[in-house]
Amino acid sequence: MANSDTPLLDELEKGKWPSFVKDMKQAAQKNPMARDLIRQLELSYKDKIGHWKHGGIVGVRGYGSGVIGRYSDRPDLFPNVQAFHTMRVNHPTGWFYKTDTLRKLCDIWDKHGSGLTNMHGSTGDAILLGTTTNHLQACFDDLSSAGFDLGGSGSALRTPSACVGPARCEWACIDSLDICYDITMTYQDQIHRPMFPYKFKIKVSACANDCVSSIARSDLSIIGTWKDDIQINPQEVLTYASRINIQKEVCDLCPTRCMEWNGRDLKIYNEDCTRCMHCINLMPKALRPGKEKGATILVGGKAPIVKGALLSWVIVPFMKLEPPYDELKSLIERIQDWWDENGKSRERLGELITRLGMRVFLKAVGLQAVPQMVKAPRTNPYVFFWPEDIKKEVK
């Protein structure tokens, strides 16, 4: 495609960073859908509006999610993207692929779609961008034959995702891969058949470094942690002391000031530690997570779509996570039942908790209030009790 056809998009190819425009132009050389997509995108940049419309629901047999309908509002100019549907393919846990598997995926998409992919979208899925309605079922059948399944979309449980965990990370406190796989297999119905007020995301990070950004991007966040004391190697601490300023770079930056350094010995007051792993990240040979490992469970994270962004907050400070994860699944189901019963259309879990109150949520899901749940200081001087609690006190 000549540069003169897309002068605005051409600007995005300049500079040192990789450009999605370059990839789209490569696809356009052999695929008319990609060619019209570039031309429509150029028009969108020129008009400063998107030229997509919602024209109806599309899908494949037996599934209510995994396919997102997309239609051009200028089919007269760009007939090859009159329908340009997206398919979400459930990713392998931790995003581990074999090269031959990736080739199969790409071959299927070259056969049925535009050849454009997003590896991976914020959903976690492999995103296949652009196919026509009459290719959807055939593409799904080929994906199924190759061992792939569709992911979640719409008001459903979105495809659970996890960090690489114990496969490659020495800090893993839980088996994030097994937990994510187990949840994915257990809740197939919720993933494929939308049944909730809005989307529900579960992300699993094996440690507090939170490499899948679960705190910011999931309704239920599972983060590996430990319950006992941080392990200290005093000799390695002295080695680090010759390289970094432990007082300034470690102790002074501890969020709870739970560490003391006298020039020879590092003292950690573990009862004040929030397991943020800042000190471990700076001195990995000297400090390690404790031996009693499990997970912290948080809820309420979301991006700013209907309302503003929310970061999730703690509801279970420590939970042992071992197969078959019955305690975790029971909690997930109680949370989803309450949200499904009380949530408004397009209201995420965190927004519902904000609207009705944490005390209502905790009572509904059967959790006792603990200090770790405090998200912010009190903003009023009043304390309210449930009527049944008052009756118990009187007796």
Side-chain angles (χ1 to χ4, degrees):
M1 182 175 293
N3 286 344
S4 59
D5 291 343
T6 57
L8 297 176
L9 287 177
D10 294 343
E11 290 296 314
L12 297 179
E13 290 188 274
K14 299 176 181 178
K16 62 181 181 179
W17 303 109
S19 171
F20 71 93
V21 176
K22 181 179 179 180
D23 288 343
M24 290 173 68
K25 287 183 177 180
Q26 287 177 346
Q29 292 175 4
K30 59 180 182 179
N31 191 298
M33 294 185 76
R35 196 175 306 126
D36 271 7
L37 178 66
I38 292 178
R39 294 170 58 216
Q40 177 169 302
L41 184 58
E42 178 74 16
L43 182 63
S44 293
Y45 276 53
K46 180 181 178 181
D47 294 345
K48 296 183 173 60
I49 60 171
H51 282 287
W52 299 106
K53 66 177 182 178
H54 180 73
I57 301 298
V58 291
V60 298
R61 287 192 295 271
Y63 282 57
S65 62
V67 179
I68 299 94
R70 193 94 63 218
Y71 299 89
S72 170
D73 70 359
R74 294 304 309 269
D76 55 322
L77 296 177
F78 315 113
N80 293 304
V81 292
Q82 178 178 4
F84 195 78
H85 309 312
T86 291
M87 300 189 78
R88 289 180 175 169
V89 179
N90 197 323
H91 57 275
T93 306
W95 299 285
F96 286 103
Y97 291 93
K98 291 182 178 180
T99 53
D100 61 339
T101 302
L102 283 174
R103 288 190 180 96
K104 286 180 185 178
L105 184 63
C106 292
D107 288 344
I108 292 169
W109 194 233
D110 282 339
K111 177 182 176 182
H112 294 287
S114 69
L116 295 169
T117 64
N118 182 352
M119 302 285 287
H120 286 84
S122 59
T123 62
D125 297 304
I127 309 298
L128 306 183
L129 296 164
T131 191
T132 58
T133 304
N134 61 348
H135 269 277
L136 287 174
Q137 188 64 46
C139 183
F140 172 70
D141 292 342
D142 285 349
L143 287 169
S144 296
S145 297
F148 292 100
D149 198 2
L150 296 187
S153 67
S155 297
L157 175 63
R158 297 300 179 86
T159 313
S161 60
C163 67
V164 298
R168 297 196 65 182
C169 180
E170 62 181 315
W171 304 132
C173 296
I174 54 175
D175 190 342
S176 55
L177 302 174
D178 187 63
I179 294 167
C180 183
Y181 177 77
D182 192 290
I183 289 173
T184 302
M185 299 306 290
T186 300
Y187 297 116
Q188 287 292 299
D189 201 44
Q190 289 90 327
I191 294 173
H192 293 142
R193 295 161 186 86
M195 59 182 71
F196 294 142
Y198 200 21
K199 65 183 78 170
F200 193 96
K201 297 183 178 181
I202 300 174
K203 296 187 185 294
V204 190
S205 288
C207 78
N209 285 317
D210 196 11
C211 291
V212 289
S213 301
S214 65
I215 287 179
R217 294 167 55 186
S218 64
D219 302 271
L220 189 126
S221 173
I222 304 166
I223 298 181
T225 189
W226 64 94
K227 195 173 184 179
D228 53 344
D229 296 347
I230 294 176
Q231 301 178 69
I232 303 176
N233 184 324
Q235 187 58 48
E236 289 292 345
V237 172
L238 293 175
T239 301
Y240 277 106
S242 64
R243 305 178 199 164
I244 64 175
N245 186 327
I246 292 180
Q247 182 61 48
K248 182 178 180 180
E249 298 180 44
V250 180
C251 298
D252 291 350
L253 294 179
C254 173
T256 59
R257 298 292 194 273
C258 74
M259 312 181 80
E260 287 183 357
W261 169 248
N262 62 12
R264 288 186 323 277
D265 301 307
L266 183 67
K267 170 65 176 176
I268 301 177
Y269 298 93
N270 285 276
E271 63 274 18
D272 295 325
C273 174
T274 57
R275 278 68 172 168
C276 74
M277 291 188 62
H278 169 71
C279 59
I280 295 174
N281 290 332
L282 281 182
M283 301 193 297
K285 292 184 179 181
L287 304 175
R288 299 193 68 83
K291 297 179 180 180
E292 189 179 354
K293 296 175 179 177
T296 297
I297 313 299
L298 307 91
V299 295
K302 61 175 286 291
I305 301 177
V306 177
K307 293 187 178 179
L310 293 174
L311 295 178
S312 57
W313 56 95
V314 174
I315 58 167
V316 179
F318 185 84
M319 179 185 290
K320 263 307 216 194
L321 285 184
E322 296 175 347
Y325 312 111
D326 288 338
E327 184 180 3
L328 173 64
K329 292 175 188 175
S330 175
L331 177 61
I332 290 173
E333 289 159 18
R334 297 198 306 273
I335 290 172
Q336 289 179 343
D337 285 347
W338 177 76
W339 171 58
D340 194 28
E341 183 71 23
N342 295 279
K344 298 178 181 178
S345 177
R346 292 179 63 83
E347 184 175 46
R348 296 284 287 272
L349 174 64
E351 294 166 335
L352 175 60
I353 294 173
T354 300
R355 177 166 63 86
L356 296 186
M358 177 61 91
R359 63 196 293 268
V360 175
F361 167 73
L362 294 177
K363 183 179 182 183
V365 300
L367 293 175
Q368 294 294 318
V370 295
Q372 290 92 334
M373 296 175 179
V374 175
K375 188 178 183 183
R378 292 180 63 84
T379 56
N380 69 69
Y382 299 102
V383 179
F384 298 93
F385 297 92
W386 297 108
E388 57 266 32
D389 292 336
I390 296 175
K391 292 178 181 178
K392 291 178 183 177
E393 291 292 329
V394 172
K395 291 181 181 179

